[in-house]
Amino acid sequence: MYDIGFPNIGIFFRNVPRIMFTIPIIDRPIYWYGFMVVSGILAAYFLAVWWIKKTGQRVEDYTDLLLLGVPLALIGLRTHYLIFMHSGVYNLQTFFGAFLRFDQGGLAIYGGIIGALLAGVIIAKRKKIPFTTLADTAAPSMLLGQVIGRFGNFFNREAFGGYTDSLFAMSMNTENVPGFPHGSHITPEMIENITIIDSYQFIRVHPTFLYEAFFNLLLMVALLIYRPHKKFNGEIILMYLCGYGVIRFFIESLRTDQMMLFNTGLPVNQVLAALFAVICAAFIIWGHVRARRPEIQRRKK
């Protein structure tokens, strides 16, 4: 019997583990989710190094960016999740206690993006490098990290959408779905449409993590192709933030584990996605208009 499958296209995976292995000395598990995140960070770094060397920049500047960016992104990822997923639950002491419980899950991508951008600002100021240069170099790499990291959700059976029987519907054995059947991310429609196979229960859902990884990959390729032809510094990071905002806005509408913007009833990640998309699109338009001005063209020459 399979654990996770895509029955409408005939792809099935058996014995999909959450844990890679356990470290015997300290009896601590290493999760596939963590492995995919670390793999994404390393792949992102080496993609950036390729462009850094091609453009004559200093690799050590971006190594410093990585060393500062990873912890700041992690702080942002975790803080964003705790604030909006458990709004009002924590006082200062319990917040820090919960922050360190990574084994209980909980990371939110926009917090990580904000943390990474903050690291870019700090390194740019310290190294006296234009922030836009750092950001344009790092933007496609950030997308690659997101693409690979998203497959951690596959191993964790999380970050999925509501019920569907569409072509790419993902079927999961409910024995391994966290929180089933009482989790807030489990909808009545999923329960009503449970499939029984050899006495095992399966739900069919939108694999939103897979949708996001696919469209992020397309956006990354587009940025890599366009980057040598950019019209102004900062255009690539703006395109990343705008493009990812559009992707996340639509995919967030499918997910059942949305974090709400306090008591507004609005999904916080969808609100942030819309804001990033609209604001960055406006800056891109402004940058193109400015780049066409005669005095700017003379400076380029």
Side-chain angles (χ1 to χ4, degrees):
M1 181 53 56
Y2 66 88
D3 284 343
I4 304 174
F6 298 84
N8 294 336
I9 55 176
I11 298 175
F12 301 93
F13 300 92
R14 291 177 172 82
N15 303 318
V16 179
R18 292 185 68 217
I19 296 175
M20 236 180 126
F21 57 86
T22 300
I23 302 175
I25 298 176
I26 58 175
D27 193 29
R28 295 287 302 204
I30 300 299
Y31 289 92
W32 275 102
Y33 181 93
F35 174 79
M36 298 308 295
V37 170
V38 172
S39 298
I41 292 170
L42 292 176
Y45 175 72
F46 288 117
L47 176 63
V49 166
W50 163 74
W51 183 253
I52 292 162
K53 291 181 176 179
K54 186 174 181 178
T55 53
Q57 301 180 69
R58 299 198 317 164
V59 173
E60 53 266 36
D61 293 336
Y62 289 86
T63 301
D64 290 343
L65 176 60
L66 177 73
L67 294 175
L68 179 62
V70 169
L72 286 185
L74 184 60
I75 291 170
L77 286 162
R78 189 71 173 145
T79 301
H80 182 96
Y81 173 83
L82 292 175
I83 288 174
F84 292 106
M85 182 57 82
H86 301 287
S87 177
V89 172
Y90 302 109
N91 57 38
L92 191 61
Q93 182 178 359
T94 57
F95 178 86
F96 283 111
F99 183 92
L100 298 173
R101 294 301 306 271
F102 289 99
D103 57 317
Q104 295 182 355
L107 301 174
I109 186 64
Y110 268 114
I113 291 172
I114 293 169
L117 291 174
L118 176 60
V121 171
I122 293 171
I123 293 297
K125 185 174 182 180
R126 183 181 300 171
K127 302 281 187 176
K128 295 181 172 55
I129 302 170
F131 169 75
T132 52
T133 300
L134 287 175
D136 282 355
T137 298
S141 296
M142 291 173 69
L143 279 167
L144 180 59
Q146 289 174 237
V147 168
I148 297 172
R150 272 295 170 205
F151 282 91
N153 300 136
F154 170 80
F155 290 98
N156 274 3
R157 285 86 162 169
E158 63 186 6
F160 50 80
Y163 167 77
T164 184
D165 195 29
S166 61
L167 179 62
F168 296 106
M170 181 174 67
S171 176
M172 295 185 291
N173 187 332
T174 59
E175 287 188 353
N176 299 313
V177 176
F180 186 88
H182 303 299
S184 59
H185 59 299
I186 305 298
T187 67
E189 193 176 12
M190 292 179 196
I191 304 294
E192 292 168 6
N193 290 279
I194 280 178
T195 303
I196 308 295
I197 305 176
D198 294 339
S199 75
Y200 291 97
Q201 294 182 333
F202 289 81
I203 55 173
R204 291 193 180 190
V205 298
H206 282 286
T208 51
F209 72 89
L210 185 60
Y211 299 162
E212 184 171 325
F214 174 75
F215 287 110
N216 280 352
L217 183 62
L218 291 183
L219 179 59
M220 182 196 76
V221 171
L223 293 186
L224 288 173
I225 293 172
Y226 180 75
R227 182 164 55 182
H229 313 287
K230 66 179 183 178
K231 301 300 186 293
F232 59 92
N233 287 334
E235 184 178 10
I236 303 304
I237 188 64
L238 289 171
M239 291 176 69
Y240 158 64
L241 294 171
C242 178
Y244 180 65
V246 172
I247 292 168
R248 187 56 186 263
F249 180 85
F250 288 104
I251 289 177
E252 189 70 16
S253 66
L254 297 174
R255 288 180 56 163
T256 60
D257 60 344
Q258 297 172 336
M259 296 181 293
M260 296 301 167
L261 185 60
F262 303 117
N263 297 320
T264 64
L266 297 172
V268 63
N269 285 328
Q270 200 167 33
V271 172
L272 286 173
L275 287 174
F276 272 106
V278 172
I279 293 172
C280 290
F283 274 110
I284 291 170
I285 294 170
W286 177 78
H288 275 256
V289 171
R290 187 172 179 274
R292 291 194 187 99
R293 292 177 182 172
E295 63 271 21
I296 303 297
Q297 294 294 336
R298 284 196 295 272
R299 287 178 199 168
K300 287 183 179 180
K301 293 177 182 179

